[in-house]
Amino acid sequence: MTTAAPPINNTQFSANVTTVSQEQSLYQSSGAIVAAIVVGVIIIFTVVLLILKTYNRRMRVKRELEPKPTKPAMPPAFGQNSTSMAPHPTVTFIPVDIHVQNR
């Protein structure tokens, strides 16, 4: 026994193909838009990075070429009228081992 195949509606089939291709084109165009935005952001970050590097290099060269200010002379110690500088007292910390064993 053979069964007859139902007739295919060509207008409905071609409409579905057109709809699918429009959806695909929308997905592709949205993907292209996202890719363009990402590329634009990368280009902007690259330009900002190059500007900052150039600025940093110029400022470093400017700092290196400037004459360095001399240190001002220290005033005499309190209570002394001499011009010799007295060394500042230093505090030295010596750690003590505080391990007490109770037996």
Side-chain angles (χ1 to χ4, degrees):
M1 235 190 211
T2 61
T3 58
I8 298 175
N9 189 352
N10 287 336
T11 57
Q12 186 180 10
F13 181 71
S14 64
N16 286 341
V17 170
T18 306
T19 305
V20 170
S21 66
Q22 286 176 351
E23 288 178 4
Q24 286 178 348
S25 66
L26 286 175
Y27 283 125
Q28 289 173 353
S29 63
S30 65
I33 291 171
V34 169
I37 291 172
V38 169
V39 168
V41 168
I42 290 173
I43 289 172
I44 290 171
F45 278 140
T46 304
V47 169
V48 169
L49 178 70
L50 291 175
I51 290 171
L52 288 175
K53 285 179 71 173
T54 305
Y55 175 78
N56 189 20
R57 186 176 298 137
R58 286 182 185 170
M59 289 298 111
R60 187 185 69 214
V61 168
K62 186 177 178 181
R63 279 193 309 266
E64 289 175 354
L65 293 178
E66 283 182 351
K68 295 181 180 178
T70 58
K71 293 183 180 179
M74 295 189 64
F78 294 112
Q80 295 179 354
N81 292 331
S82 66
T83 58
S84 65
M85 291 197 290
H88 295 289
T90 58
V91 177
T92 306
F93 177 76
I94 301 172
V96 179
D97 207 9
I98 313 177
H99 292 287
V100 179
Q101 296 179 356
N102 294 332
R103 293 184 183 205

